[in-house]
Amino acid sequence: MEKQSVILGIESSCDDTSVAIIKGRKILSNFIANQEIHSEYGGVVPELASRAHQQNIIPVIQKGLSNAGMSLDEIDAIAYTRGPGLLGSLLVGSSFAKGLSMGLGKPLIEVNHMKAHILAHFIDDNSSTPSFPFLCLTVSGGHTQIVLVKSALEMEILGGTIDDAAGEAFDKAAKMMEIPYPGGPLVDKYAQSGNPRAFPFKISSMKDYNFSFSGLKTGILYFLRDNVAKNPHFVKENLHDICASIQYTIVETLMRKVEKASKDLNITEFAIAGGVSANSELRKRFLAKEKEGWKSHIPNFDYCTDNGAMIAMAGHFLYEANEFGQLKSTPNPRMKF
Ligand code: KG4
Ligand code: ZN
């Protein structure tokens, strides 16, 4: 039987301060403090994010512990996000994790944020768990990748975006329509009652398993500029159709590559991970592939956008493999797989 290790996970890579406690694969608590401050600036302001992490980290740790009904001496190890992410944000979580590790005399575990998004699928909850090997589309605000997951600790990136990430495409499109940051969830909401074919945008076709969303961004910019010049109320009057059309284009771009990877590698075990995996259209399209024999694994909503639970889950696997971190290691904003 797997050892029921208790890991405290700290996530602070972008604008969410989160702490979770996992016992074995069961989440005992997962507390997230979102930073509202960025919405008025239309995107994450790194300086403000690190300050907010600094203010949040102690109350969030306390909340994580009290929600789990645990004290620090019951923790076996401290896992934290080493990267990728914003340096100032990562510094808060990593410094705090190191302080805890030294103070408690408990081991430190360095987690890669993008791998953790994928490993969130192994949390023991009501969602299905993928079998190895599987393909994972990781789509967040900073990354868009197709990953071949051979085991919990062995992953290979098959392709990624050469410019903007899928989440960034959602957020930038939203910003052009004056939808507050982060725009992705609101575009999703407005798209529910819109026509996805109302305004056709070009779907980029990159080589291999790579993506590009910068052309779509420019396409949307010109489309809005031209239509607003003719009718100043164009966005307001067509918001739902515009959102549905943009969402359709982003999701279709992702699905085409996913289908290609599945065909080329002859793998039908598929998962989605990262903030954009909360998108209702992407989830629907993935689940629809089950009719074609796929096993589609969709994460629980709680574990799509940034959270400490995924860091704790990744920490569990690293702990079991005796892969511990070092006090001298520094946060890595461009941490590779
Ligand atoms: O993984 P995440 O929380 O942070 C990063 O690691 O980047 O992802 C955040 C991204 C944002 O771009 C946000 O707009 C997007 O995920 N997102 C969505 C939805 N929910 C979150 N995009 C589209 N539809 C959604 N429902
Ligand atoms: Zn993330």
Side-chain angles (χ1 to χ4, degrees), residues 36-317:
E36 300 293 331
I37 182 109
H38 306 288
S39 67
E40 60 191 89
Y41 296 94
V44 176
V45 184
E47 176 74 20
L48 296 178
S50 43
R51 284 179 200 214
H53 282 305
Q54 194 72 263
Q55 285 171 338
N56 291 342
I57 190 86
I58 290 182
V60 168
I61 295 260
Q62 283 168 338
K63 221 42 194 146
L65 285 165
S66 65
N67 287 357
M70 283 216 155
S71 61
L72 279 172
D73 55 5
E74 292 172 87
I75 305 292
D76 290 314
I78 298 120
Y80 74 96
T81 306
R82 186 175 170 209
L86 300 170
L87 181 61
S89 292
L90 292 167
L91 270 166
V92 178
S94 65
S95 304
F96 200 87
K98 286 179 192 178
L100 265 186
S101 163
M102 281 177 79
L104 298 170
K106 305 270 167 114
L108 198 59
I109 302 172
E110 298 167 4
V111 173
N112 178 301
H113 179 91
M114 293 313 293
K115 284 186 176 176
H117 269 302
I118 298 172
L119 294 173
H121 279 279
F122 294 89
I123 290 171
D124 184 358
D125 58 7
N126 53 6
S127 63
S128 61
T129 305
S131 308
F132 300 112
F134 67 93
L135 288 165
C136 189
L137 174 72
T138 50
V139 269
S140 70
H143 292 80
T144 299
Q145 300 165 335
I146 295 184
V147 181
L148 173 60
V149 188
K150 298 171 194 167
S151 73
L153 301 179
E154 234 185 320
M155 304 184 191
E156 185 191 334
I157 298 174
L158 302 179
T161 179
I162 60 153
D163 41 58
D164 292 348
E168 213 174 344
F170 270 106
D171 297 340
K172 286 181 177 169
K175 193 173 178 181
M176 289 181 224
M177 293 182 279
E178 293 177 8
I179 295 172
Y181 178 87
L186 286 168
V187 171
D188 187 356
K189 188 175 149 202
Y190 297 136
Q192 313 269 331
S193 51
N195 173 9
R197 309 279 176 166
F199 305 110
F201 293 103
K202 197 170 172 294
I203 292 169
S204 84
S205 57
M206 298 298 295
K207 261 182 72 184
D208 306 322
Y209 307 115
N210 292 325
F211 301 93
S212 167
F213 290 103
S214 68
L216 174 63
K217 185 176 63 186
T218 315
I220 297 168
L221 184 73
Y222 291 158
F223 164 81
L224 293 175
R225 185 197 60 186
D226 295 349
N227 282 289
V228 169
K230 285 184 245 159
N231 169 12
H233 306 295
F234 177 76
V235 173
K236 204 168 164 217
E237 286 168 8
N238 296 279
L239 187 62
H240 296 253
D241 285 348
I242 303 170
C243 288
S245 302
I246 291 170
Q247 177 169 278
Y248 168 79
T249 310
I250 296 172
V251 171
E252 182 62 24
T253 309
L254 297 170
M255 289 308 292
R256 286 187 188 181
K257 288 294 176 184
V258 157
E259 281 161 359
K260 175 177 162 51
S262 166
K263 211 160 135 204
D264 292 353
L265 279 85
N266 198 21
I267 296 179
T268 50
E269 187 89 17
F270 234 112
I272 46 173
V276 183
S277 64
N279 183 264
S280 59
E281 181 65 18
L282 185 63
R283 293 168 82 91
K284 209 163 35 184
R285 293 284 300 273
F286 254 82
L287 286 174
K289 295 298 287 181
E290 296 211 317
K291 287 200 204 89
E292 296 168 34
W294 281 30
K295 277 200 128 185
S296 304
H297 302 277
I298 310 288
N300 195 315
F301 276 115
D302 291 347
Y303 309 130
C304 289
T305 47
D306 293 349
N307 62 87
M310 67 185 200
I311 305 304
M313 185 69 252
H316 166 93
F317 286 115

